[in-house]
Amino acid sequence: QVQLVESGGGLVQAGGSLRVSCVASGSILSIRSMGWYRQAPGNQRELVADIFRGGTTTYADSVKGRFTISRDNAKNTVYLQMNSLKPEDGAVYYCNAHALANGSTWSFYWGQGTQVTVSS
């Protein structure tokens, strides 16, 4: 099994910045990709950004140019630097990992989510 622990969420004013982190732990053999999703009240969960082992990244159009995803493979950690935050960025942000755990098969794992609130 793989556990994902997030940190860094909180309250920030519009135009401000916030950095959230996610650390994967457990009997991990390999992590192919890690990413961030978000879900605002009344909305569907959506992909914000993800990053693969080789460094390839994907961003939602709504965050391009403002958010940056990065990964420390040695630490099994993914970061999301959020700049120029807008009220519509407010959501619960979830960490996701596509990982192989010892004794298991390739699976997707989710963190419990961290709240990001952007005030205007």
Side-chain angles (χ1 to χ4, degrees):
Q1 186 67 278
V2 175
Q3 296 81 45
L4 303 177
V5 179
E6 298 147 316
S7 62
L11 174 65
V12 65
Q13 291 187 341
S17 298
L18 203 63
R19 190 194 197 199
V20 291
S21 304
C22 174
V23 180
S25 63
S27 57
I28 301 170
L29 296 179
S30 184
I31 298 177
R32 185 188 184 207
S33 65
M34 299 185 75
W36 290 94
Y37 292 71
R38 68 187 182 188
Q39 187 168 19
N43 293 348
Q44 298 294 109
R45 187 174 299 187
E46 64 176 351
L47 172 69
V48 178
D50 62 12
I51 183 167
F52 284 77
R53 218 166 21 225
T56 302
T57 58
T58 301
Y59 293 94
D61 288 340
S62 60
V63 307
K64 286 181 179 177
R66 300 187 297 118
F67 290 11
T68 302
I69 189 170
S70 60
R71 178 178 175 180
D72 187 335
N73 291 333
K75 297 181 179 180
N76 291 329
T77 301
V78 65
Y79 308 92
L80 185 67
Q81 178 67 46
M82 300 179 286
N83 298 327
S84 301
L85 282 161
K86 305 174 181 179
E88 52 262 42
D89 293 320
V92 177
Y93 282 70
Y94 296 91
C95 180
N96 174 268
H98 187 204
L100 178 67
N102 188 33
S104 187
T105 57
W106 285 95
S107 300
F108 288 92
Y109 299 88
W110 292 93
Q112 66 275 13
T114 184
Q115 177 70 51
V116 173
T117 303
V118 184
S119 64
S120 60

